[in-house]
């Protein structure tokens, strides 16, 4: 047996780990229940397994559940956490309480190599992929873990650029032996890496949102086709930048691409950073886009910004907690 992190393993992988010692699938399920449902960070406290197995786990594995290194609370009650994994990679997580709906926004990479011009994470650069365990730990390793109802993959990184770990994390989040969160309550956001989008739509039932700076037809067409095959929510997150993608030309293009699709549009304000030469569209312009999309039969809403005072809003994560 190797010294292995249990958080981030599927129930089958846990069974593969303990089977050589003569233990059964039911024991693997007890372990996954303790890690994912009870959030047991101390392996010696894993329940419903033989003491011999507990001893083996203590000697040869760790829970893989670790606390955030730092945190910052926003005036709107959202909380940003900084995690640092064993490899020293840093990444941020945001907890967004909203009545009965409590969302955690997780990172999939430390930094990002996509370099989208509207995003501070892109400017932070790419520092490395994080593991499926690191992704799951952002949900079960924060103090509000028990309250979480929704998970969004909209933190640092492009999920399709770390797809194996993202798909594995999605299966752990939604599995009965895992966190048991409905795939309807899990949303992965992408800037539209096409091979990754296709693989994700084939292998996962979770929702997908496309973060857009300008209308791109190819990815939207792929989403339209998959929409017909599976019951899931597909959406566009359209970051609105003054005079750059909020003209009538862009509006008409959005309308023509989305015509007769069930894809929902979330309009987001651009969050400026110091020394920025680009600015968010005005509230009036965003309302104008929303109104025109709706009267064209396209479902649209303006997403409220949260955590801007602690740089926790979309596109602002860049380990600013340090
Ligand atoms: S928007 Fe997403 S993909 Fe683009 S740089 Fe930021 S984190 Fe990366």
């Amino acid at each position: 047996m190797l010294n292995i992190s249990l958080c981030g393993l599927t129930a089958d992988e846990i069974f593969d780990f303990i089977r050589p010692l003569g233990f059964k699938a039911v024991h693997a399920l007890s372990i996954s229940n303790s890690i994912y449902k009870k959030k047991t960070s101390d392996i010696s406290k894993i329940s419903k397994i033989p003491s011999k197995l507990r001893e083996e786990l203590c000697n040869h594995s760790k829970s893989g559940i670790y606390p955030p290194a730092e945190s910052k609370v926003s005036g709107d009650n959202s909380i940003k956490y900084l995690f640092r994994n064993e490899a020293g990679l840093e990444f941020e997580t945001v907890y967004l309480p909203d009545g009965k709906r409590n969302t955690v926004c997780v990172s999939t990479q430390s930094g990002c190599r996509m370099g989208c011009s509207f995003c501070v994470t892109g400017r932070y650069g790419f520092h490395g992929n994080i593991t499926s365990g690191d992704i799951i730990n952002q949900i079960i390793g924060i103090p509000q873990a028990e309250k979480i109802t929704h998970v969004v993959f909209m933190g640092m990184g492009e999920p399709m650029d770390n797809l194996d770990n993202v798909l594995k994390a999605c299966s752990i989040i939604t599995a009965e032996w895992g966190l048991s969160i409905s795939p309807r309550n899990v949303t992965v956001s992408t800037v539209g890496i096409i091979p990754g989008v296709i693989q994700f739509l084939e292998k996962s039932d979770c929702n997908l949102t496309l973060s857009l700076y300008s209308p791109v037809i190819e990815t939207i067409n792929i989403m339209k086709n998959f929409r017909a095959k599976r019951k899931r929510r597909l959406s566009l997150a359209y970051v609105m930048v003054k005079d750059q993608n909020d003209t009538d030309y862009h509006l008409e293009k959005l309308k023509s691409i989305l015509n007769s699709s069930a894809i929902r549009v979330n309009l987001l304000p651009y969050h400026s950073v110091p020394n920025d030469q680009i600015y968010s569209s005005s509230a009036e312009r965003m309302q104008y886009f929303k109104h025109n999309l709706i009267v064209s039969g396209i479902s649209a809403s303006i997403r409220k910004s949260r955590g801007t005072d602690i740089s926790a809003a979309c596109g602002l994560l860049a380990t600013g907690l340090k």
Side-chain angles (χ1 to χ4, degrees), residues 133-197:
D134 290 327
I135 297 172
I136 297 295
N137 186 61
Q138 293 172 71
I139 308 166
I140 63 178
I142 64 171
Q144 301 78 12
E146 296 297 339
K147 297 181 185 166
I148 291 166
T149 57
H150 292 69
V151 180
V152 294
F153 287 66
M154 295 181 185
M156 298 171 88
E158 162 53 51
M160 302 304 150
D161 193 33
N162 187 13
L163 188 57
D164 289 346
N165 284 312
V166 166
L167 283 170
K168 195 166 164 194
C170 284
S171 70
I172 293 169
I173 292 167
T174 55
E176 247 179 69
W177 48 259
L179 275 66
S180 280
I181 295 176
S182 163
R184 302 282 88 81
N185 293 351
V186 180
T187 302
V188 173
S189 173
T190 177
V191 289
I193 298 174
I194 290 172
V197 167

Side-chain angles (χ1 to χ4, degrees), residues 35-103:
I35 296 291
Y36 298 126
K37 296 221 171 50
K38 296 181 190 155
K39 287 98 180 156
T40 309
S41 56
D42 180 351
I43 286 194
S44 67
K45 301 215 166 96
I46 290 182
S47 56
K48 297 185 182 161
I49 54 171
S51 52
K52 171 79 179 126
L53 174 56
R54 195 173 299 110
E55 197 182 308
E56 293 285 356
L57 290 177
C58 286
N59 289 335
H60 301 290
S61 67
K62 51 186 178 277
S63 70
I65 302 175
Y66 56 95
E70 292 175 39
S71 65
K72 223 174 188 178
V73 183
S74 160
D76 65 16
N77 292 327
S78 52
I79 306 172
K80 181 164 78 164
Y81 292 102
L82 169 71
F83 281 97
R84 192 173 293 120
N85 71 5
E86 269 193 349
L89 292 174
E90 294 185 330
F91 43 95
E92 294 181 350
T93 306
V94 185
Y95 174 69
L96 300 148
D98 188 10
K100 286 185 183 161
R101 181 188 176 116
N102 299 307
T103 303

Side-chain angles (χ1 to χ4, degrees), residues 112 114-116 118-119 121-122 155-158 191:
C112 184
M114 296 300 133
C116 304
F118 56 84
C119 175
T121 308
M156 298 171 88
E158 162 53 51
V191 289

